[in-house]
Amino acid sequence: MAKKTVKFMLTAFRDGFQSVVGARVLSKDFLPCVEEAYQAGVRWFEAGGGARFQSCYFYCQEDAFDVMDKFRAAAPEADLQTLSRGVNVVGLESQPSDMIKLHAQMFKKHGMSSIRNFDALNDVNNLKWSGQCIHDAGLNHEVVVTMMGLPPGIDNKGTHTPDFYRDRLKMIMDAGIPFDRVCFKDASGTSTPSTVYWTMKKARELLGKDVHIQFHSHETAGNGVACYLAALRGGADGLDLSMAPMSGGTCQPDIITMWHCLDGDDEFEFDFDINKIKKAEDSFKNAMKKYFLPPEAMSVNPQIVWSPMPGGALTANTQMLRDNNMMDKYDDMIAEMYDCVRLGGFGTSVTPVSQFYAQQAIQNVMFGKFKKFAPGYAKMVLGYFGKTPVPPDPEIVKKASEFMASNELTKPYSEPTTKTVLELNDSDPNKGGAVAKKALEDAGLPVTDENIFIAAACKEKGILFLKDPSKAPMGCRFAEAEGAKAAPSKEGVTVTINGKAYGVKITGDGKAVVNGKEVAFKSEAGVKAAAPAAAAPAGGTEVKAPVPGTILRVTAQSGTAVSKGDEILVMDVMKMETPVTAPCDGTVTLSVGATDKVATGDVLAVIG
């Protein structure tokens, strides 16, 4: 009997980046590697979307649409696929109908040919409109059923089993959602080989022999290759594979590892020249030497099955923990994931739900178990992201409702809802194209379809980038800078300002390398005094940072009157907007501005 040729999508340049370095890689460093992989015969790439969209603006000082255009030029005839989160498209916040449609149109315009589309809650209502828009834009729609293994000791209540996944696929088919391929996606790598095998078998029975089934997992828990073999033997047609150094560990299995696994197999084979693939991987490894590769991303963690943190979320979170000098909280945060999953309705731990779990876990670490709520987690258990696979714990729902009702800013989301996400978002006056257009006009920026989508998906950070990309944050972590922090050389120093460390090395007259990036500087003799900050009222009430983070926006102005409970500013904490409100009535004097990094206890303002 002839062997079956296994199709594969190369994920190194999207999920690989997200799973190892929090999606923070500059296109100039990896696009030559895309071209080499293409020359080696790769014809299916994951080329953007997911966290790689926002990260371009948040951390890389690049436009994601420009990067997509360049990716297409590097791989002219390949199937270029991006990742979409259903009604969330490429953000953590869900979008209304017009932005979901614009997402598909813009990605088609900028060279993409396929979109993988998933919903972390497996709520089919969140896939209907997004899938239709992808199809209508002329893109291949790869619809997804999301998978994970529930932590040991938790009653699955009929969820996350082969029958559950088969039934979710049947619901997608019954809903009439147009699709070209089906993917089963396990972002945390915690499903068992047995579950994967029987899920593929049941899916194949439903779909017939002609529909392509793709399987996606990670090595995070150490059984990625075993699950891939199980998927093939159960009826899958294709696998997601990556290249070192963005493979193994928290990533997909390496393409060479999987080739070796199937070498001599009686049933399956690949159709590529392994020596050309090795050459492309060697080039990729060399290109990535400049980046800091977090140790937690480079090895498997068998205990992740108790706290199913996806590879992409794990390193995105550890990058932010490092940014905010909170890595000492990492182990405690991972441990708190268990109860966040157990009590939260069993949504699959994949973006954005994985972030909600992580955000709530860090709240539990900082303030006590469910004493405070991350808004995303609270909104999830209250139904604002769709229907969870099982009802969340009633006590958690009650506490979340009370917490959201305690603040005027979150009060509109304090009552449980059964409305669909699109119903909620389409009636929300603070969302959609008109709101994004006004934000652009207020900032004096061109109103284009691309800019409208950037403003809607990235909000203030997108506007900041569009105003001046060079002033947007540079969040890439380079090996040289991390080494400077660990052991400063005689040629450089480490300077810490507002809690952020900078590795600085003077390389010539007027030239220096700061955190791996060459910059020009000017020095003058003497110290010129900066403009003095506004004097704080004597005996005023200090408003301190509750956790480390970055000032996202300032709401109140120094010298103005505020009332108790008024929003003063908003912090960005682990991708979560955290409002800071006035503890009393009085006149506010601010001590910080937008983009400032602050540590726990830093004085943000004084009210006198």
Side-chain angles (χ1 to χ4, degrees):
M1 186 175 75
K3 294 184 180 183
K4 180 177 180 177
T5 298
V6 178
K7 299 178 177 64
F8 73 96
M9 180 171 73
L10 187 61
T11 61
F13 308 112
R14 209 292 304 173
D15 205 333
F17 290 154
Q18 182 174 345
S19 296
V20 177
V21 291
R24 307 181 189 190
V25 182
L26 303 177
S27 62
K28 67 182 178 65
D29 293 327
F30 74 80
L31 283 171
C33 302
V34 172
E35 188 171 351
E36 187 157 359
Y38 182 76
Q39 295 303 322
V42 178
R43 288 297 180 270
W44 188 5
F45 293 86
E46 193 173 31
R52 266 299 292 173
F53 186 84
Q54 287 185 324
S55 69
C56 288
Y57 306 100
F58 291 4
Y59 307 117
C60 302
Q61 298 179 339
E62 292 190 297
D63 187 329
F65 291 121
D66 288 344
V67 176
M68 283 187 254
D69 291 338
K70 293 173 182 175
F71 207 120
R72 172 52 71 192
E77 296 181 9
D79 185 354
L80 300 187
Q81 181 166 301
T82 60
L83 185 68
S84 177
R85 302 158 180 158
V87 288
N88 285 57
V89 289
V90 288
L92 293 179
E93 183 177 281
S94 59
Q95 295 290 338
S97 298
D98 60 343
M99 288 299 98
I100 294 171
K101 183 177 182 180
L102 186 60
H103 159 255
Q105 293 171 335
M106 289 299 95
F107 278 50
K108 171 68 174 179
K109 177 181 176 181
H110 289 277
M112 302 300 102
S113 48
S114 298
I115 293 182
R116 173 178 289 173
N117 185 36
F118 73 91
D119 179 64
L121 300 181
N122 279 314
D123 185 340
V124 175
N125 284 323
N126 289 342
L127 296 172
K128 289 179 181 178
W129 176 243
S130 56
Q132 189 65 52
C133 290
I134 292 166
H135 174 78
D136 291 349
L139 295 152
N140 297 315
H141 179 212
E142 186 177 286
V143 73
V144 176
V145 176
T146 59
M147 303 175 64
M148 76 171 179
L150 287 169
I154 293 179
D155 176 8
N156 66 32
K157 300 180 182 179
T159 66
H160 296 290
T161 66
D163 286 344
F164 171 78
Y165 299 133
R166 176 203 59 203
D167 293 346
R168 292 291 149 157
L169 176 58
K170 181 71 162 53
M171 291 170 69
I172 290 170
M173 297 169 70
D174 290 345
I177 300 170
F179 61 84
D180 301 279
R181 298 188 289 259
V182 173
C183 176
F184 289 87
K185 176 180 173 66
D186 179 4
S188 60
T190 51
S191 296
T192 65
S194 175
T195 297
V196 171
Y197 174 81
W198 286 109
T199 298
M200 298 304 110
K201 291 280 284 187
K202 293 173 185 290
R204 181 55 71 198
E205 290 172 3
L206 267 182
L207 294 167
K209 63 182 179 64
D210 295 328
V211 177
H212 179 96
I213 299 176
Q214 189 79 359
F215 183 66
H216 167 103
S217 191
H218 293 241
E219 281 286 11
T220 314
N223 67 352
V225 170
C227 286
Y228 273 19
L229 287 171
L232 291 176
R233 306 209 189 287
D237 301 294
L239 305 170
D240 285 3
L241 298 168
S242 194
M243 294 195 304
M246 307 294 169
S247 62
T250 55
C251 302
Q252 283 72 58
D254 193 282
I255 184 173
I256 296 176
T257 301
M258 205 65 214
W259 171 86
H260 183 64
C261 188
L262 294 181
D263 188 24
D265 191 272
D266 292 335
E267 298 180 68
F268 304 100
E269 64 182 359
F270 287 110
D271 181 20
F272 54 70
D273 185 331
I274 190 61
N275 291 309
K276 290 182 179 178
I277 294 293
K278 178 183 180 300
K279 184 174 180 292
E281 183 167 293
D282 286 343
S283 296
F284 187 48
K285 288 165 67 176
N286 187 60
M288 293 297 103
K289 283 181 179 178
K290 68 185 290 184
Y291 290 91
F292 170 67
L293 306 182
E296 66 272 13
M298 307 312 293
S299 61
V300 301
N301 178 5
Q303 295 186 10
I304 207 71
V305 296
W306 275 270
S307 307
M309 177 72 81
L314 189 151
T315 52
N317 282 315
T318 56
Q319 291 276 34
M320 286 183 282
L321 287 170
R322 286 187 174 90
D323 286 347
N324 294 300
N325 294 318
M326 292 173 64
M327 267 303 285
D328 61 312
K329 302 292 190 294
Y330 171 70
D331 289 337
D332 293 336
M333 182 189 78
I334 288 294
E336 281 294 331
M337 283 276 292
Y338 185 93
D339 281 340
C340 294
V341 174
R342 181 175 67 87
L343 302 171
F346 295 0
T348 310
S349 190
V350 61
T351 306
V353 170
S354 56
Q355 284 300 107
F356 300 158
Y357 288 149
Q359 289 165 354
Q360 186 57 46
I362 202 68
Q363 294 289 306
N364 288 359
V365 170
M366 300 297 293
F367 304 111
K369 195 177 290 289
F370 298 105
K371 298 294 185 184
K372 292 188 177 183
F373 279 79
Y377 187 85
K379 289 171 71 175
M380 178 184 73
V381 301
L382 292 169
Y384 289 91
F385 286 94
K387 186 178 180 180
T388 54
V390 300
D393 181 83
E395 185 62 23
I396 292 298
V397 173
K398 180 175 179 290
K399 288 183 177 181
S401 180
E402 292 171 349
F403 178 84
M404 297 294 272
S406 68
N407 189 311
E408 288 300 318
L409 299 172
T410 56
K411 193 172 183 178
Y413 307 100
S414 61
E415 291 297 322
T417 183
T418 57
K419 290 184 178 181
T420 68
V421 177
L422 278 187
E423 287 176 321
L424 293 166
N425 289 348
D426 286 346
S427 63
D428 189 338
N430 297 312
K431 290 187 175 184
V435 175
K437 180 181 177 182
K438 185 176 186 306
L440 293 168
E441 290 172 343
D442 290 346
L445 292 166
V447 177
T448 65
D449 285 341
E450 286 84 354
N451 284 0
I452 287 172
F453 188 77
I454 292 166
C458 302
K459 295 193 169 181
E460 288 88 351
K461 293 181 182 178
I463 296 293
L464 177 66
F465 170 87
L466 291 171
K467 283 182 176 179
D468 186 350
S470 68
K471 292 184 179 178
M474 170 48 68
C476 295
R477 289 186 174 273
F478 299 105
E480 180 180 349
E482 293 298 318
K485 293 179 191 178
S489 71
K490 294 179 180 178
E491 299 177 351
V493 296
T494 299
V495 181
T496 301
I497 303 172
N498 286 337
K500 180 173 175 61
Y502 298 84
V504 181
K505 183 166 66 175
I506 306 301
T507 57
D509 185 23
K511 297 288 185 181
V513 173
V514 180
N515 285 2
K517 181 181 179 181
E518 187 172 83
V519 298
F521 73 93
K522 179 182 179 182
S523 61
E524 299 180 55
V527 177
K528 292 187 175 181
T541 300
E542 292 183 336
V543 183
K544 297 182 178 180
V547 292
T550 303
I551 306 303
L552 183 59
R553 61 178 177 269
V554 174
T555 311
Q557 300 298 315
S558 288
T560 60
V562 295
S563 300
K564 182 179 180 180
D566 285 353
E567 182 181 280
I568 300 173
L569 54 83
V570 178
M571 292 175 60
D572 181 7
V573 181
M574 303 281 291
K575 284 189 178 179
M576 177 175 62
E577 291 195 10
T578 303
V580 175
T581 58
C584 60
D585 298 345
T587 300
V588 64
T589 302
L590 291 159
S591 306
V592 294
T595 75
D596 285 352
K597 290 186 178 295
V598 296
T600 301
D602 282 357
V603 176
L604 307 177
V606 176
I607 298 176

